[in-house]
Amino acid sequence: MTVHRRLALTASVVGAVIVALDGTALTVAQPALQRALGASFAQVQWTSTGYLIAVASLLVFSGRLGDRYGHQRLFAVGMLGFGAASAGIGLASGIGWMIGLRVVQGVFGALLQPATLGMLRAAYPPDRLRKPIAVRTAAIGVAAAVGPVVGGALVAGPGWRSVFFLNVAPAVVLGGLALCGPGHRWAMAGQGPRQLPSRQAPKQTLAARLDVPGALLLALTLAGLVHTLVALPDAGWTTAGEAGAVLVAAAAFVRHERRTASPLLPPDVVGSATVGSALGILVAASAALHGTLFVGAYVLQYTLGLDAFQSALRSLPLAVMMVAAAPAGAVLLPRAGARRTTVTAMAVLALGILLLIRASGTLALCAGFGLLGAGFGTVMVAATHVVVRHSAVESAGVAGGAKQTAMNVGPTLGVAAATVLMGAGGGRALPLVVLASVAVAGAAVGGLLPGRAAGAVDDLCDTADDLGDAGPRSSVPARR
């Protein structure tokens, strides 16, 4: 592995880990900061909701910016801004400042996240993406597992403000290295001249090609969708008006994209049945997992009477199996193909959810959570690999943004559905059966992914393309 690829992989992993740690540690710190700042429960919830809306609404446009101007640049700006916002949150004097800075942090998080995948797509040939994606997925699993522990230790020790200083040093260091790197080429090593951002076109021309109206319409759609889903458990069906507004914005976005000459979502991403299926699977898998975890937390602590530490121990197999499933998924993909790997993993995820419906003993609970981790970790590797691999390099940022959007919308949808179904008086059985059905539907969609034979042929073609990058056609600018 070249130095440039090591840097791209390190940046991708650290960036993803910082975002994952921030979210899990904040959950633990919320009760303490609520008491310290004298905030209401609704205000504390907005520290998460404001961030989520900002991220979800800007991810795809940020990916397009990375495709135009370089993923390393966007990664550097995102990391530095994320670290600065984290420091500001740690120094915030009131809940209003904290909510505002969390929104700012979400904006920089949106710049950062698509770049972590865009750099990998540009740095590695398509047939070598499995391992770096598996490493990234495993690192996210580790961060999700240790985040609550680290957050709890910091809250109990130095205090809740220290949670937000946790990410400052690595964000500043890695962001500074990316900003001052040699010619912004981490993500471009070994790909030939056709992968480099155009430096002949004037900046005005590049800016004119950006689909700003489409970006605004998509941001409005996604922000409205996330807000509606977050408010659904409390407002019930009174959010029908908001849902209607979201549908109108979505229709306007689709109409605009069909008519514009330079759409925000290029045809190789939005028009690909393979990429679309993989994105749908990610939404289904993340909705099923996070909805189940929401139900599981109430079952463990309210139904079974366990404290937070005992609950964490019983759910620990989820993180362990997710980390173990990441390299296993990378091994399975070339042997079984994306279709068989994903369908099987989604079935395992559904089986884990069904097992938790009646589970009460330690062994049954650990088995159920372990199956959740094994299924979800494998799906993450397989579906992410399909999204990144089957998107053109010049659209890698948009593909990464679409993938991250799916991973933000899915959990919000799953938790909202679980909350409403639990409130309907069905206990844990009704929401878990519905969430298992969502996983089964995701398995059905997995049948549209390429099989092993198709993947093998693609690998040969992609390898030939990589070997030919230095030829005459590499000097032709890629169609944008």
Side-chain angles (χ1 to χ4, degrees):
M1 185 186 296
T2 66
V3 173
H4 295 294
R5 285 180 180 166
R6 288 194 188 98
L7 288 171
L9 178 58
T10 300
S12 179
V13 168
V14 174
V17 165
I18 282 177
V19 173
L21 275 175
D22 179 82
T24 55
L26 173 63
T27 303
V28 177
Q30 281 180 333
L33 69 88
Q34 180 180 7
R35 292 190 298 270
L37 298 179
S40 66
F41 180 75
Q43 288 174 321
V44 172
Q45 285 299 102
W46 267 101
T47 63
S48 297
T49 303
Y51 174 88
L52 183 60
I53 289 175
V55 168
S57 60
L58 294 174
L59 280 168
V60 174
F61 185 60
S62 297
R64 174 52 78 198
L65 289 176
D67 291 331
R68 298 296 188 191
Y69 302 112
H71 299 297
Q72 187 179 328
R73 286 193 180 95
L74 268 291
F75 175 82
V77 173
M79 286 289 277
L80 291 172
F82 196 92
S86 296
I89 293 169
L91 298 171
S93 58
I95 190 65
W97 278 102
M98 186 171 183
I99 293 172
L101 287 169
R102 280 288 288 171
V103 173
V104 172
Q105 191 181 42
V107 172
F108 286 107
L111 295 176
L112 162 66
Q113 292 184 56
T116 63
L117 286 172
M119 288 189 296
L120 290 183
R121 178 63 181 91
Y124 288 84
D127 56 332
R128 295 185 183 179
L129 278 170
R130 290 184 297 271
K131 290 183 179 179
I133 289 175
V135 171
R136 183 180 182 274
T137 302
I140 293 173
V142 172
V146 304
V149 178
V150 173
L154 290 174
V155 171
W160 66 268
R161 293 182 184 275
S162 62
V163 171
F164 297 98
F165 294 121
L166 180 66
N167 294 326
V168 174
V172 171
V173 170
L174 201 54
L177 288 175
L179 191 64
C180 301
H184 306 289
R185 294 297 188 269
W186 288 7
M188 302 298 174
Q191 296 299 305
R194 71 183 179 92
Q195 307 299 344
L196 297 177
S198 174
R199 298 191 180 277
Q200 287 74 29
K203 291 185 178 180
Q204 294 83 355
T205 303
L206 290 175
R209 293 179 182 176
L210 289 174
D211 183 15
V212 176
L216 292 174
L217 287 171
L218 181 60
L220 182 62
T221 302
L222 292 173
L225 175 62
V226 171
H227 185 268
T228 301
L229 291 174
V230 170
L232 182 61
D234 294 325
W237 299 114
T238 59
T239 56
E242 288 187 29
V246 171
L247 291 176
V248 171
F253 172 72
V254 172
R255 183 175 183 272
H256 170 80
E257 289 294 284
R258 287 179 174 177
R259 295 190 172 200
T260 186
S262 182
L264 175 67
L265 292 172
D268 62 281
V269 175
V270 72
S272 169
T274 299
V275 175
S277 299
L279 291 173
I281 290 166
L282 288 170
V283 172
S286 58
L289 175 71
H290 287 270
T292 301
L293 292 179
F294 180 82
V295 176
Y298 279 89
V299 170
L300 290 172
Q301 297 187 39
Y302 287 87
T303 305
L304 301 180
L306 303 176
D307 61 29
F309 181 70
Q310 292 171 328
S311 300
L313 287 179
R314 283 160 178 77
S315 61
L316 186 60
L318 185 149
V320 173
M321 292 305 297
M322 183 176 169
V323 173
V331 173
L332 283 174
L333 269 174
R335 299 182 180 182
R339 182 191 307 154
R340 189 176 300 175
T341 300
T342 304
V343 170
T344 303
M346 290 298 287
V348 171
L349 179 61
L351 180 60
I353 297 172
L354 293 174
L355 186 58
L356 290 174
I357 293 177
R358 297 292 183 184
S360 58
T362 300
L363 183 60
L365 289 168
C366 289
F369 283 115
L371 290 174
L372 287 180
F376 186 74
T378 305
V379 168
M380 276 282 289
V381 173
T384 301
H385 179 263
V386 170
V387 171
V388 178
R389 185 186 191 283
H390 289 268
S391 299
V393 175
E394 59 267 24
S395 301
V398 171
K403 182 263 177 184
Q404 295 298 136
T405 301
M407 296 302 296
N408 278 275
V409 172
T412 309
L413 177 62
V415 172
T419 305
V420 171
L421 292 170
M422 288 180 71
R428 61 168 148 166
L430 178 60
L432 290 182
V433 167
V434 172
L435 292 168
S437 300
V438 171
V440 171
V445 175
L448 301 176
L449 298 181
R452 184 174 64 88
V457 172
D458 287 346
D459 282 345
L460 290 175
C461 294
D462 289 332
T463 302
D465 287 343
D466 291 332
L467 291 174
D469 277 347
R473 67 184 180 89
S474 65
S475 60
V476 180
R479 184 177 61 84
R480 296 296 177 97

